[in-house]
Amino acid sequence: MALIKSISGIRGTIGGRAGEGLTPLDIVKFVSAYAMFIRKTAAATSNTIVVGRDARVSGEMVKDIVCGTLLGAGFDVLDIGLATTPTTELAVIMSKAAGGIIITASHNPRHWNALKLLNGEGEFLSDKEGKEVIALAEKEDFAYAEVDRLGTITKDDSFDLKHVEAVVKLPLVNVKAIKARHFRVAADTINSVGAVILPRLFEALGAEYTIINNVPDGNFAHNPEPLEQNLAGIMELVRGGGYDMGIVVDPDVDRLAFIDERGRMIGEEYTLVGAADFVLSKTPGNAVSNLSSSRALRDITLRHGGNYAASAVGEVNVVATMKETSAVIGGEGNGGVIYPECHYGRDALVGIALFLSALAERGISVSEFRAALPDYFIAKNKVELRPETDIDKILARVKELYTTERITDIDGVKIDFADSWVHLRKSNTEPIIRVYSEAHTQDEAARLGKQIMDVIGSMTK
């Protein structure tokens, strides 16, 4: 059992004892704390909280508890049903709600679920705000509404269509050119909400599509993280011929990866890089990604005359840095594209529409698009944490070993070498240490990662 309280929300495994997983009691506690926070901080113009969920097996149970708790706290609930993370974010904005709760554990396996907490701008709570919610939850000093002040619930499943409409209306999304290309795409929607919304997007863009793992029942057909080792099925389908590309999303559709026309994964790091190359070619400006993302975005931004900045890992950190630098695009190397022209949230639908626009306008294939981007290779490793692991000691030791290199320690430790880097940090979403390394060859990236893994191993025996 596990329960993780972080900048990415309240995330845990389903079942077990209260306080050791995401149990009904834990859900009530944290939603009550969130309700108190919103009541204290939100503008008085709205009494509504939006609730959306992915298709996880536990989703209905969690949603019922979330909605009931919000009603008991005196809030009105706008239940948008099965919905992606970006759809829920847009629903908060469109409905002018006081906040929102997304019920999803993103890329985590099926026995996990989570509460992602939004403010009235449809954006994730800041680290400071999240800590305030956690502190309120730990006090457990809650007061609920009297019978005549209980909230009401409204169900509205129209936001999928509104989301698609918002995406296809973006100025850089060239619907005419996309339709003229008659794209044929294969998509893996991992038995979640992508199976509901992606067909609507493809139809709006005039693309012929085949979708696998298309039953939104939360019984994931494979590990839901959109990494190459998990995607043999979709890669084989595209490799069979007749498709212009493969498209892969995670269970809540805020991460996106592409497979080229030959069935080869182009790497989720290049989702943001490719989208940024297109956006920056049309709208010169700045770009942002997190410390664990590819240097390719920096190179592309400089190529187009903009400035690049790196943030700590976590969507809220990327968004904050984007606002500080007036970035026109940003995101994370996990396949997350944030395009403020639509909204400040990772959005796979936006990424798909921008990517198809780039291919259509330039008259090129996915492999040709990838070949025009800077070449980097990344190795992503992780180490399971033990309760006794002293992370601070590990980070300090790594810094000692590389004092002659450029070190950034706003989020774990990142060491920048002339032609490569390695980043070591504790995950926001799992009880692990992530070790990411990047270089101009896969062998060099792997060597750097192993070097750091050996340091960790020597300290955790």
Side-chain angles (χ1 to χ4, degrees):
M1 296 293 107
L3 183 64
I4 300 172
K5 296 163 277 188
S6 76
I7 197 170
S8 296
I10 310 302
R11 186 177 302 234
T13 50
I14 297 297
R17 303 178 66 86
E20 297 177 0
L22 193 66
T23 70
L25 286 176
D26 292 293
I27 295 165
V28 170
K29 182 171 72 171
F30 286 107
V31 173
S32 297
Y34 171 74
M36 286 181 65
F37 170 81
I38 292 295
R39 183 71 71 196
K40 182 176 73 171
T41 61
T45 54
S46 177
N47 191 54
T48 299
I49 303 292
V50 175
V51 176
R53 73 174 183 92
D54 72 11
R56 286 170 186 274
V57 174
S58 61
E60 190 71 29
M61 178 273 289
V62 176
K63 186 197 76 172
D64 287 346
I65 297 170
V66 167
C67 290
T69 304
L70 290 171
L71 297 177
F75 278 100
D76 299 323
V77 173
L78 178 58
D79 176 6
I80 65 172
L82 287 175
T84 74
T85 283
T87 304
T88 310
E89 293 168 343
L90 279 170
V92 172
I93 299 168
M94 293 175 176
S95 63
K96 298 180 180 178
I101 297 179
I102 311 164
I103 301 165
T104 174
S106 191
H107 63 277
N108 289 79
R110 68 191 293 276
H111 62 293
W112 287 76
N113 215 326
L115 310 174
K116 293 185 176 181
L117 309 177
L118 303 175
N119 62 22
E121 303 299 318
E123 299 167 14
F124 291 128
L125 300 187
S126 68
D127 183 50
K128 179 181 178 182
E129 291 168 336
K131 287 176 179 175
E132 184 174 346
V133 171
I134 292 169
L136 289 169
E138 290 173 348
K139 287 181 181 178
E140 295 192 40
D141 184 19
F142 309 127
Y144 298 96
E146 296 178 1
V147 67
D148 293 325
R149 294 184 178 275
L150 295 174
T152 60
I153 190 164
T154 302
K155 296 190 177 184
D156 186 346
D157 63 0
S158 69
F159 285 95
D160 274 359
L161 182 57
K162 292 174 181 175
H163 185 182
V164 170
E165 289 174 345
V167 170
V168 299
K169 288 179 180 177
L170 290 169
L172 292 191
V173 175
N174 194 332
V175 177
K176 182 178 180 180
I178 294 172
K179 287 184 174 180
R181 273 290 296 268
H182 303 291
F183 286 112
R184 186 166 183 242
V185 303
D188 183 346
T189 56
I190 193 59
N191 306 106
S192 192
V193 290
V196 178
I197 197 169
L198 286 195
R200 290 187 166 187
L201 177 67
F202 294 143
E203 287 161 10
L205 295 174
E208 182 182 346
Y209 60 90
T210 299
I211 295 182
I212 65 171
N213 303 322
N214 62 349
V215 179
D217 60 6
N219 290 307
F220 305 145
H222 53 75
N223 185 310
E225 192 160 14
L227 303 177
E228 183 169 357
Q229 61 264 34
N230 303 327
L231 302 175
I234 184 73
M235 292 171 70
E236 182 178 353
L237 176 62
V238 176
R239 198 176 295 123
Y243 293 100
D244 295 296
M245 72 194 71
I247 293 175
V248 181
V249 294
D250 67 337
D252 65 325
V253 197
D254 62 355
R255 292 174 61 176
L256 169 67
F258 287 96
I259 295 163
D260 74 13
E261 69 280 4
R262 301 175 190 173
R264 301 174 302 183
M265 184 88 172
I266 70 167
E268 58 176 354
E269 291 289 332
Y270 280 86
T271 300
L272 173 58
V273 177
D277 181 58
F278 178 65
V279 169
L280 293 170
S281 72
K282 301 278 190 176
T283 314
N286 302 328
V288 172
S289 62
N290 67 40
L291 289 168
S292 281
S293 299
S294 176
R295 273 189 187 175
L297 181 62
R298 180 202 66 179
D299 294 356
I300 285 293
T301 306
L302 296 175
R303 180 188 297 176
H304 289 292
N307 294 315
Y308 167 79
S311 76
V313 174
E315 183 174 317
V316 65
N317 294 321
V318 176
V319 168
T321 304
M322 288 179 69
K323 290 179 177 180
E324 290 168 6
T325 60
S326 301
V328 297
I329 191 165
E332 299 189 281
N334 58 12
V337 175
I338 302 174
Y339 185 44
E341 188 74 22
C342 188
H343 66 118
Y344 275 107
R346 294 182 305 181
D347 192 329
L349 274 70
V350 170
I352 291 168
L354 292 173
F355 209 92
L356 293 183
S357 295
L359 296 178
E361 288 190 10
R362 297 175 182 179
I364 57 176
S365 66
V366 175
S367 62
E368 289 170 332
F369 191 20
R370 170 62 186 88
L373 300 173
D375 254 337
Y376 289 96
F377 296 86
I378 197 164
K380 297 184 177 183
N381 295 291
K382 60 186 178 181
V383 178
E384 299 288 337
L385 286 177
R386 300 176 184 174
E388 68 273 15
T389 301
D390 188 337
I391 297 175
D392 291 337
K393 185 177 179 181
I394 292 171
L395 297 179
R397 177 57 180 155
V398 171
K399 288 172 70 173
E400 287 175 7
L401 291 173
Y402 296 97
T403 54
T404 60
E405 306 297 338
R406 184 160 67 90
I407 292 177
T408 306
D409 58 5
I410 60 171
D411 185 7
V413 173
K414 182 174 184 179
I415 306 143
D416 272 294
F417 304 96
D419 296 311
S420 59
W421 57 262
V422 62
H423 188 202
L424 168 69
R425 58 177 290 274
K426 182 180 178 182
S427 171
N428 291 328
T429 59
E430 300 175 71
I432 60 174
I433 296 175
R434 296 192 186 278
V435 181
Y436 288 5
S437 50
E438 184 179 64
H440 284 298
T441 68
Q442 193 65 60
D443 286 346
E444 177 62 12
R447 185 193 67 77
L448 279 173
K450 183 179 184 304
Q451 200 170 298
I452 297 297
M453 298 276 282
D454 288 343
V455 173
I456 296 172
S458 69
M459 299 181 69
T460 56
K461 290 179 180 179

